[in-house]
Coordinates of all heavy atoms in Angstrom, one line a residue:
P317 N -12.0 13.9 7.1 CA -12.5 15.3 6.7 C -11.4 16.3 6.4 O -11.6 17.2 5.6 CB -13.2 15.8 8.0 CG -12.6 14.9 9.1 CD -12.2 13.6 8.5
Q318 N -10.2 16.1 6.8 CA -9.1 17.0 6.5 C -8.6 16.9 5.0 O -8.3 17.8 4.3 CB -7.9 16.8 7.5 CG -7.9 17.6 8.6 CD -7.9 19.1 8.3 OE1 -9.0 19.7 8.4 NE2 -6.9 19.7 7.8
R319 N -8.6 15.6 4.7 CA -8.0 15.3 3.3 C -9.1 15.4 2.2 O -8.8 15.8 1.1 CB -7.4 13.9 3.3 CG -6.8 13.4 2.0 CD -6.1 12.1 2.2 NE -6.9 11.0 2.5 CZ -7.7 10.3 1.7 NH1 -7.8 10.7 0.4 NH2 -8.4 9.3 2.1
I320 N -10.3 14.9 2.5 CA -11.3 14.9 1.5 C -12.4 16.0 1.7 O -13.0 16.2 2.7 CB -12.1 13.5 1.6 CG1 -11.1 12.3 1.5 CG2 -13.2 13.4 0.5 CD1 -11.7 10.9 1.6
V321 N -12.5 16.8 0.6 CA -13.5 17.8 0.6 C -14.6 17.5 -0.3 O -14.4 17.1 -1.5 CB -12.9 19.2 0.1 CG1 -13.9 20.3 0.0 CG2 -11.7 19.5 1.1
R322 N -15.9 17.6 0.2 CA -17.0 17.2 -0.6 C -17.5 18.4 -1.4 O -17.6 19.5 -1.0 CB -18.2 16.8 0.3 CG -19.5 16.5 -0.4 CD -20.6 16.4 0.5 NE -21.9 16.2 -0.2 CZ -22.6 17.3 -0.6 NH1 -22.3 18.5 -0.3 NH2 -23.7 17.1 -1.3
I323 N -17.8 18.1 -2.7 CA -18.4 19.2 -3.6 C -19.8 18.6 -4.2 O -19.8 17.5 -4.6 CB -17.4 19.5 -4.7 CG1 -16.2 20.1 -4.2 CG2 -18.1 20.4 -5.8 CD1 -15.0 20.1 -5.1
D324 N -20.8 19.5 -4.2 CA -22.1 19.0 -4.7 C -21.9 19.0 -6.2 O -22.0 20.0 -6.9 CB -23.2 20.0 -4.2 CG -24.5 19.6 -4.8 OD1 -24.6 18.7 -5.6 OD2 -25.5 20.3 -4.4
A325 N -21.8 17.8 -6.8 CA -21.6 17.7 -8.3 C -22.9 17.6 -9.1 O -22.8 17.4 -10.3 CB -20.8 16.5 -8.5
S326 N -24.0 17.8 -8.4 CA -25.3 17.8 -9.1 C -25.5 19.2 -9.8 O -26.5 19.4 -10.5 CB -26.5 17.5 -8.3 OG -26.6 18.4 -7.2
Q327 N -24.7 20.2 -9.4 CA -24.8 21.5 -9.9 C -24.3 21.6 -11.3 O -23.7 20.7 -11.8 CB -24.1 22.5 -8.9 CG -24.6 22.4 -7.5 CD -23.7 23.2 -6.6 OE1 -24.1 24.3 -6.2 NE2 -22.6 22.7 -6.2
S328 N -24.4 22.8 -11.9 CA -23.9 23.0 -13.3 C -22.4 22.9 -13.3 O -21.8 23.1 -12.2 CB -24.3 24.3 -13.8 OG -23.6 25.4 -13.2

Side-chain angles (χ1 to χ4, degrees):
Q318 265 307 103
R319 179 173 64 79
I320 303 177
V321 176
R322 174 190 175 274
I323 294 161
D324 178 357
S326 66
Q327 306 172 97
S328 73

